[in-house]
């Protein structure tokens, strides 16, 4: 079974600074997808970024980028120029190639200080 | 384009009762998945439906069941409610084209179930 681990329960960053959230996963499969989701106090899960395992290039979405290390099974999220609106719970998630079943990590609570 | 809609948003039930939650996916999405979120267990996968068929099932007791209709709307049912069933239940839909396009899951706002 796949497992996803987020080792940082809480992180704090100063507004306009950069922060990196860590995620490791365990799988025996070679083809899969990885995601970062954001869950603000409204509880709505919002997709931040996705990465296909077959792609070597790291995904980037505006201020959000990932560092995908397939051999190390590591998938970290970097948030640049942090904004107050980035404060939320962030979840790393794994999806097999077939079927729409997500395995989530325990989450990292990100606080942004003004 | 409307997002994923879950109803009701909040629900209070008594132990032993049953409850039905509803999820309307994004138009055109054929896959609907359900998740339970609790402070202690985090986000756990319940089941996934695709074209009216259950495709995957998580490790939950048989009291948890679901179904999907021909218009892709889905319902989940919990019978004989227990206090531990109190949670936020999230529904997600995805396009599922079989290609890398459409693999993202889009979530609804959830149904907060409280069992007393």
């Amino acid at each position: 079974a796949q497992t996803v681990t987020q080792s940082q329960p809480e992180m704090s960053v100063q507004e306009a600074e950069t922060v990196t959230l860590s995620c490791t996963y365990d799988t025996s499969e070679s083809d899969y997808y990885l995601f970062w989701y954001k869950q603000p106090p409204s509880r709505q899960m919002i997709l931040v970024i996705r990465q296909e395992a077959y792609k070597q290039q790291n995904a980037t979405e505006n201020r959000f980028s990932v560092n995908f290390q397939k051999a190390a099974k590591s998938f970290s999220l970097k948030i640049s120029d942090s904004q107050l609106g980035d404060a939320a719970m962030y979840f790393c998630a794994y999806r097999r190639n077939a079927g729409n079943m997500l395995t989530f990590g325990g989450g990292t609570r990100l606080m942004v200080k003004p | 384009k409307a997002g994923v809609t879950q109803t009701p948003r909040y629900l209070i039930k008594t132990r032993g009762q049953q409850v039905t939650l509803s999820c309307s996916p994004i138009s055109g999405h054929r896959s609907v998945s359900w998740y339970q979120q609790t402070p202690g267990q985090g986000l756990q996968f319940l089941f996934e439906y695709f074209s009216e068929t259950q495709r995957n099932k998580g490790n939950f007791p048989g009291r948890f069941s679901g179904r999907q209709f021909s218009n892709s709307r889905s319902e989940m049912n919990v019978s004989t409610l227990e206090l531990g069933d109190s949670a936020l239940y999230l529904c997600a839909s995805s396009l599922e084209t079989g290609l890398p396009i459409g693999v993202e899951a889009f979530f609804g706002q959830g149904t907060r179930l409280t069992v007393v």
Side-chain angles (χ1 to χ4, degrees), chain B residues 15-83:
Chain B
R15 250 185 319 176
Q17 286 187 314
Q18 76 165 17
V19 67
T20 299
L21 311 182
S22 179
C23 172
S24 293
I26 292 171
S27 178
H29 285 198
R30 297 189 296 167
S31 169
V32 174
S33 301
W34 290 88
Y35 296 84
Q36 181 195 65
Q37 185 175 24
T38 60
Q41 299 297 317
L43 280 153
Q44 292 186 287
F45 171 77
L46 281 156
F47 28 65
E48 180 210 357
Y49 286 87
F50 180 80
S51 293
E52 301 180 64
T53 301
Q54 188 179 84
R55 191 160 65 171
N56 287 294
K57 189 177 189 306
N59 189 25
F60 278 81
R63 299 185 297 106
F64 291 81
S65 63
R67 58 178 176 169
Q68 185 180 34
F69 301 95
S70 59
N71 61 357
S72 292
R73 189 177 73 85
S74 177
E75 290 181 347
M76 69 162 280
N77 184 278
V78 187
S79 62
T80 318
L81 283 165
E82 300 177 359
L83 296 179

Side-chain angles (χ1 to χ4, degrees), chain A residues 33 35 37 39 43-45 47 50 54 91 95 99-102 104, chain B residues 31 33 35 37 45 48 55 94 96 100 103-105 107-109 112:
Chain A
Y33 299 87
F35 304 90
Y37 280 90
Q39 188 179 42
R43 310 300 279 178
Q44 173 109 42
M45 295 282 278
L47 177 66
R50 81 173 221 186
Y54 64 83
F91 292 94
R95 178 194 186 277
N100 187 22
M101 168 184 160
L102 292 171
F104 286 92
Chain B
S31 169
S33 301
Y35 296 84
Q37 185 175 24
F45 171 77
E48 180 210 357
R55 191 160 65 171
S94 65
E96 292 293 316
V103 299
E104 296 91 343
F107 285 80
Q109 290 186 291
R112 169 75 67 186

